[in-house]
Amino acid sequence: MNHPLKNKRALVTGGSRGIGAAIVKRLAADGADVAFTYASSPGRASETAQAAQAFGVKAIAIQSDSADANAVVAAVERTVSELGGIDILINNAGVLALGPIDDFKLEDFDRTIAINVRAVFVATQAAVRHMKEGGRIINIGSCNAERMPFQGGGVYAMSKSALQGLVQGFARDLGARGITINNVQPGPINTEMNPEQGEFAEMLKKQFMAVPRYGTVEEVAAMVAYLAGPDAGYVTGASLTIDGGFNA
Ligand SMILES: NC(=O)c1ccc[n+]([C@@H]2O[C@H](COP(=O)([O-])OP(=O)(O)OC[C@H]3O[C@@H](n4cnc5c(N)ncnc54)[C@H](OP(=O)(O)O)[C@@H]3O)[C@@H](O)[C@H]2O)c1
């Protein structure tokens, strides 16, 4: 078996379900020890930890709400103390609040920014204090950073566009230290946040997709694994789209 991430230590935010859980399992399959956070699904977190441990690596689930900056820093520190360091940070935890401009609530705006943007900054700042040369930071953005073709998604799109500027700027801070930082921008991916069945999904597939299907969580995890691995040392400050042609 090929283990390109052997001896690496990773933290994935929001790893109990969906894209995050697939990333936890893929990094474990590639040989990394993995910590991951969750907010409210201890049962799902425990299942994901067990699936990762089956690859013969350490896997730990940490309850940590990304809306709470102190809890985000604590998750990074716990990763460092339990895994012996941190080489890879995946900022995946995110929320989707859709609603028309006239009714959009300030509390939904603030929560979106706290989880989708502020937590990415907080975790990144805490992690780079410990990261050595070869470190990797990967955010899960969205194709909606570049194209939002339906109503009600302005705040979500803004939160993901913010990550484009963040990786461009921090690539400059971190490049000379041998640490890369990038966004992976998925299109529609079959998860509880965006199920592949239903009226909304059929509309997306028909009107917007070049490849007329939803992506799988494993397809996103494969792009993350490439960026986390030794072949991607010259990729930084980039926002890489994996969207079945949604933005084409
Ligand atoms: N699915 C798509 O079509 C799609 C497309 C583009 C981008 N994305 C992005 O991909 C990322 C993952 O999305 P997904 O589809 O996998 O979502 P999901 O199925 O809703 O899963 C979200 C994951 O994030 C965790 N999470 C949510 N809020 C959290 C918080 N406040 N603190 C810590 N963890 C939290 C959840 O933990 P609990 O189980 O504890 O709630 C869960 O593990 C998000 O950033 C999303 O914006 C998704």
Side-chain angles (χ1 to χ4, degrees), residues 8-168:
K8 300 290 184 188
R9 290 83 38 111
L11 170 63
V12 181
T13 67
S16 48
R17 303 181 278 119
I19 292 170
I23 294 169
V24 168
K25 288 181 252 182
R26 175 60 194 259
L27 297 181
D30 284 357
D33 291 328
V34 191
F36 66 90
T37 68
Y38 66 96
S40 56
S41 304
R44 305 289 290 277
S46 163
E47 281 168 26
T48 301
Q50 282 172 26
Q53 285 157 1
F55 292 103
V57 300
K58 282 190 202 159
I60 53 171
I62 303 171
Q63 204 277 334
S64 160
D65 183 348
S66 287
D68 174 351
N70 292 328
V72 172
V73 174
V76 172
E77 295 304 327
R78 197 168 148 204
T79 301
V80 171
S81 68
E82 292 208 20
L83 301 185
I86 182 166
D87 307 287
I88 300 165
L89 170 67
I90 316 292
N91 288 305
N92 164 79
V95 289
L96 170 68
L98 297 173
I101 184 166
D102 295 309
D103 304 331
F104 204 89
K105 291 195 181 66
L106 194 58
E107 70 190 66
D108 289 335
F109 180 95
D110 287 343
R111 186 167 167 75
T112 300
I113 296 304
I115 296 169
N116 292 12
V117 182
R118 188 180 66 179
V120 174
F121 163 71
V122 170
T124 300
Q125 187 183 53
V128 297
R129 291 193 184 112
H130 301 280
M131 265 185 194
K132 307 251 181 321
E133 169 126 25
R136 299 277 193 266
I137 299 156
I138 299 152
N139 305 325
I140 307 302
S142 169
C143 67
N144 293 136
E146 295 170 15
R147 185 174 191 224
M148 177 42 89
F150 47 83
Q151 294 177 0
V155 172
Y156 180 74
M158 178 191 65
S159 74
K160 297 301 190 177
S161 300
L163 301 182
Q164 296 190 322
L166 183 146
V167 301
Q168 288 176 299

Side-chain angles (χ1 to χ4, degrees), residues 142-144 146-147 184-190 194 201 203-216 219-220 223 240-248:
S142 169
C143 67
N144 293 136
E146 295 170 15
R147 185 174 191 224
V184 165
Q185 301 190 142
I189 306 298
N190 184 29
N194 189 6
M203 180 274 290
L204 286 187
K205 284 184 248 180
K206 204 165 152 192
Q207 290 187 35
F208 298 114
M209 310 302 303
V211 178
R213 66 169 174 87
Y214 268 40
T216 67
E219 286 173 315
V220 178
M223 185 180 266
L240 305 177
T241 297
I242 170 165
D243 70 347
F246 184 95
N247 286 0

